[in-house]
Amino acid sequence: MRKLKFHYEMQLDFSGDVYRHSFALRCLPKETCTQRIVKLSCSITPLTSITKSWDAFGNPMCFGYIAEAHDYFSFRVAGTAITNSENIDSGELNHLFYYPTPQTTLTHGMEYYLKLAQQQRDPVQKTLCMSDALYHNFIYKPNTTTTQTTAQQALDQGTGVCQDYTHIMLALCRRCQIPARYVAGFMIGEGATHAWLEVYARGHWIGVDPTNNRVVDDMYIKMSEGRDASDCIVDKGVFFGDVKQKQRVFVKVTQEPLE
């Protein structure tokens, strides 16, 4: 069990004014049996009222609208989570997690990984075996993929970031008939948001982080989950204005003493 203090900021800078800006945010860590949110604050600028709801996968969402002209948009989320990976998430299995999506479809290049998986009988061991092989054959390299890159494109070029590792693993697990879901969140340290997967085996969900080749533990905070990254987009919006935009993200997670 750990007590984790988190701070997350995202800012969009526009090259000119935009207006009539509608947005939907998945930026709030969710309450689960493995994490309890004991403090939480959220601020959005320019100031506007927000409506809170949940999407089809139970992820908390914030909706809002800014009518006035503005040349930036930002939000800040901070709080404290009590994490405990010893608790078992035996939540309902959505059968959508058995099937590939356009971003998690592999048609070639997976034979080596599937052959390794065939040597194991347990779904978790199959997953860990493939994750270990991917970790040693795939190169973490920022700015070589985009949010639209598919698992096949990333696997073909052999480089990518945590989203790509996760999409490839989702494709491999589902090919092995192991239900798996994409998870977006934070882990201890500074930088940006992180992604990993959870597989449903032994009657509950088990997190695996292929980017770091490890099982997910108390050092992670879950923000959202879905079929792939498109279900976990933090900021989705529509606005009027012919502008270019630049995004800046900062995440910091530190451990505090348990009281």
Side-chain angles (χ1 to χ4, degrees):
M1 180 182 294
R2 298 178 191 265
K3 182 178 182 182
L4 303 180
K5 184 177 181 180
F6 59 88
H7 180 97
Y8 174 40
E9 292 185 24
M10 190 284 289
Q11 178 159 326
L12 288 176
D13 293 306
F14 304 111
S15 59
D17 283 343
V18 301
Y19 59 99
R20 293 168 64 184
H21 181 180
S22 299
F23 59 86
L25 306 176
R26 290 184 185 85
C27 61
L28 304 177
K30 62 189 303 180
E31 288 274 350
T32 72
C33 62
T34 59
Q35 69 182 31
R36 180 167 53 94
I37 310 303
V38 294
K39 291 182 182 179
L40 183 66
S41 65
C42 178
S43 61
I44 296 174
T45 53
L47 292 175
T48 186
S49 60
I50 60 173
T51 301
K52 294 182 179 180
S53 185
W54 292 265
D55 67 12
F57 298 101
N59 302 313
M61 297 190 67
C62 297
F63 299 90
Y65 177 74
I66 305 172
E68 300 78 12
H70 53 286
D71 61 5
Y72 76 97
F73 172 73
S74 69
F75 61 84
R76 171 185 172 276
V77 178
T80 303
I82 305 297
T83 59
N84 187 354
S85 58
E86 292 184 1
N87 289 341
I88 296 177
D89 182 358
S90 55
E92 182 180 355
L93 169 59
N94 187 328
H95 285 268
L96 287 174
F97 298 135
Y98 273 105
Y99 304 106
T101 65
Q103 277 195 296
T104 60
T105 297
L106 291 178
T107 59
H108 59 273
M110 60 189 141
E111 295 78 11
Y112 170 68
Y113 300 96
L114 296 179
K115 187 175 292 186
L116 291 174
Q118 290 173 359
Q119 299 172 14
Q120 307 292 330
R121 298 185 63 181
D122 179 71
V124 177
Q125 292 305 315
K126 287 178 181 286
T127 303
L128 293 175
C129 185
M130 292 189 292
S131 177
D132 181 72
L134 183 64
Y135 178 79
H136 287 96
N137 287 278
F138 195 79
I139 299 172
Y140 184 90
K141 191 174 183 180
N143 303 317
T144 59
T145 56
T146 71
T147 56
Q148 304 303 314
T149 301
T150 66
Q152 189 66 69
Q153 291 168 335
L155 186 62
D156 287 344
Q157 71 181 33
T159 62
V161 293
C162 58
Q163 173 179 298
D164 305 300
Y165 280 84
T166 303
H167 278 165
I168 294 169
M169 281 301 302
L170 288 171
L172 292 171
C173 287
R174 291 167 180 168
R175 186 62 178 264
C176 295
Q177 298 298 306
I178 303 171
R181 63 190 183 190
Y182 186 100
V183 180
F186 319 132
M187 67 180 299
I188 282 183
E190 292 187 11
T193 54
H194 193 46
W196 61 93
L197 71 149
E198 291 179 340
V199 295
Y200 194 82
R202 305 170 185 170
H204 59 277
W205 292 100
I206 300 171
V208 176
D209 179 358
T211 308
N212 294 296
N213 197 26
R214 57 179 295 175
V215 174
V216 172
D217 57 16
D218 298 340
M219 296 197 298
Y220 294 74
I221 299 175
K222 179 188 291 189
M223 192 160 54
S224 58
E225 61 196 36
R227 296 163 297 178
D228 57 31
S230 66
D231 288 330
C232 300
I233 296 175
V234 176
D235 174 32
K236 184 178 289 186
V238 177
F239 54 77
F240 285 80
D242 185 13
V243 300
K244 295 181 180 179
Q245 55 183 311
K246 183 178 181 180
Q247 184 185 68
R248 291 180 288 167
V249 175
F250 175 73
V251 175
K252 183 177 182 179
V253 179
T254 57
Q255 183 174 351
E256 295 192 330
L258 284 168
E259 297 177 356

